[in-house]
Amino acid sequence: MVTGASGQLGLALLKQLKNTDFQVKLTSRRKPANVIFEWVYSDLMTGKGLEEAIKAVDVIIHAATSPRKDSDMIDVSGLKKLLDMSKDIKHFIYPSIVGIEDIPMKYYRNKFQAEELLKNSSVPHTIVRAAQFHSFVENLFLSKPLFKRYLVPGEIKFQSVDVGEYAAYLIQMIDEGAKGIREDFGGPEILTLREMAELKIKVNNESNKVVNLSFPGKLYKSLLEGKNTNKHQKVGKITFEEYLRNRAVHK
Ligand SMILES: NC(=O)c1ccc[n+]([C@@H]2O[C@H](COP(=O)([O-])OP(=O)(O)OC[C@H]3O[C@@H](n4cnc5c(N)ncnc54)[C@H](OP(=O)(O)O)[C@@H]3O)[C@@H](O)[C@H]2O)c1
C-alpha cells in the first residue's frame, strides 16, 4: 500500500509500480487521476478509513505528509495511528529527509519525531532519507522571478534528487526487507541555489538575473553549511540540469 498516493512521491511510485507484479493498494484523501489500482479514502488527521486501507496489506510505503499545515497532526500523530494499526505489517517503508536533526524547522523536527516513533515501534521498518527533490527546490525558489530577477538566498546548498529515481529506490527496498535506517539517498551533485538558478536561466534561455539575499538565523546557517546534503551519498544519477532539460522538452 502507498499512502499519500496523490502527492509528488506517491504519483512517482504509482507510475513505476504499474510495471511490477506487486498487488498495489493506494490511499489518500483525494483520488489520483486514472488509477488502475484499488484506492481507499483515508485521513491521517481523523483516522477515518485507515482500518479499511490497511486490510490485507503486507508492505506500506508511507508517502503521506503535510509540510505546511498540521504537520504534527499528520506526520507524527497520524503516523502513530497508522503504526498502532500496523501490528501485522511485514515492512513499513518511511521516506525521510537528509540532515533533519541539524536543520531547525518545525516540519523537520516532526519528521525526526516520526523516525523515533518508528524506531521505538515493533513494526519492521526501513527509513530512507532523501535530499530535497529537484521539483521542490525549483517550485519553492525558482518558479516566480520578480521584475526579471530571481531573488534567492544564493549561497545555500542543495543536493537535489529526481523523485522518480527515489521512488525506484524505495520500491527496491520492498524486496530487500526491513533493515532499519538505510544510507541517505542524495543527488549526484551539490550546488548552491545561485548555481541552480543560473542553470535554469541557461536551459530555458531566460533573460532573468540572479540577486543573492542573505538572512540571519540558524536555519539559514544550517543550509549555508549544507546540513541538508551528504557528500558521501551521491546515489542519484539525474542532475538538476537534466531534470530541467527534460521538463523543457515535455512542456
Ligand atoms: N518534497 C521533497 O523535496 C522531499 C524530499 C525528501 C523526502 N521527502 C519525503 O517524501 C514524502 C512525500 O513527500 P511529497 O513531497 O511527495 O509530499 P506531497 O506532494 O505534499 O504529498 C503529500 C501526500 O500526503 C497526503 N496527505 C496530506 N494530508 C493527509 C491526510 N490528512 N490524510 C491522508 N493523506 C494526507 C496528500 O494527499 P491528499 O491531500 O489527497 O490526502 C498527498 O498525497 C514525505 O515523507 C516527505 O517528507 C520529500
Side-chain angles (χ1 to χ4, degrees):
M1 177 172 80
V2 177
T3 72
S6 55
Q8 271 193 91
L9 178 61
L11 291 173
L13 285 162
L14 303 195
K15 204 168 157 195
Q16 295 181 42
L17 284 165
K18 280 183 193 159
N19 307 319
T20 67
D21 296 333
F22 292 115
Q23 196 182 333
V24 181
K25 196 173 183 181
L26 313 173
T27 187
S28 49
R29 292 168 307 168
R30 290 164 297 147
K31 187 175 183 178
N34 310 318
V35 277
I36 55 162
F37 301 122
E38 179 188 0
W39 172 83
V40 178
Y41 171 94
S42 72
D43 186 344
L44 284 157
M45 174 90 97
T46 59
K48 194 171 168 217
L50 283 182
E51 200 101 58
E52 179 60 28
I54 214 166
K55 237 182 237 165
V57 167
D58 292 319
V59 179
I60 297 178
I61 303 185
H62 186 48
T65 189
S66 186
R68 276 172 286 280
K69 212 173 126 221
D70 303 316
S71 164
D72 37 3
M73 298 298 292
I74 315 296
D75 289 275
V76 185
S77 313
L79 172 65
K80 182 153 188 347
K81 280 193 199 89
L82 188 57
L83 287 178
D84 287 345
M85 293 176 194
S86 297
K87 301 295 174 217
D88 297 327
I89 293 294
K90 297 190 177 77
H91 191 182
F92 193 104
I93 300 175
Y94 184 68
S96 192
I97 304 176
V98 172
I100 45 179
E101 60 277 65
D102 294 323
I103 303 168
M105 249 171 73
K106 185 167 176 275
Y107 175 58
Y108 286 6
R109 273 195 295 277
N110 287 335
K111 294 285 298 181
F112 188 68
Q113 231 182 304
E115 287 188 356
E116 292 298 303
L117 274 179
L118 259 172
K119 287 182 199 162
N120 294 322
S121 80
S122 57
V123 178
H125 61 269
T126 299
I127 298 169
V128 192
R129 291 175 166 192
Q132 286 70 33
F133 302 159
H134 294 317
S135 51
F136 170 84
V137 181
E138 188 192 9
N139 293 340
L140 188 62
F141 295 105
L142 306 175
S143 61
K144 286 196 188 85
L146 199 66
F147 303 115
K148 313 251 347 132
R149 281 168 175 73
Y150 290 114
L151 304 171
V152 291
E155 299 312 316
I156 66 172
K157 297 184 186 79
F158 289 99
Q159 188 181 356
S160 56
V161 304
D162 178 81
V163 66
E165 278 190 314
Y166 182 42
Y169 192 72
L170 293 173
I171 291 170
Q172 190 188 316
M173 296 290 128
I174 300 174
D175 286 332
E176 295 193 8
K179 293 202 169 148
I181 186 136
R182 297 290 304 248
E183 310 76 35
D184 290 347
F185 187 92
E189 49 191 12
I190 299 176
L191 299 172
T192 63
L193 191 52
R194 171 190 280 278
E195 289 169 324
M196 295 172 96
E198 281 162 357
L199 279 173
K200 182 162 184 188
I201 290 168
K202 181 180 87 176
V203 168
N204 297 340
N205 221 359
E206 298 173 13
S207 57
N208 296 316
K209 299 268 176 282
V210 186
V211 176
N212 189 29
L213 307 174
S214 63
F215 295 92
K218 289 183 181 163
L219 173 59
Y220 178 69
K221 185 166 178 282
S222 66
L223 298 175
L224 266 187
E225 289 169 357
K227 298 288 190 200
N228 54 327
T229 65
N230 182 342
K231 63 178 182 206
H232 305 294
Q233 284 299 123
K234 294 184 172 171
V235 186
K237 303 257 179 298
I238 299 175
T239 63
F240 186 63
E241 180 167 357
E242 283 164 339
Y243 153 82
L244 292 171
R245 290 200 185 283
N246 217 6
R247 277 242 341 235
V249 170
H250 291 104
K251 251 185 190 168

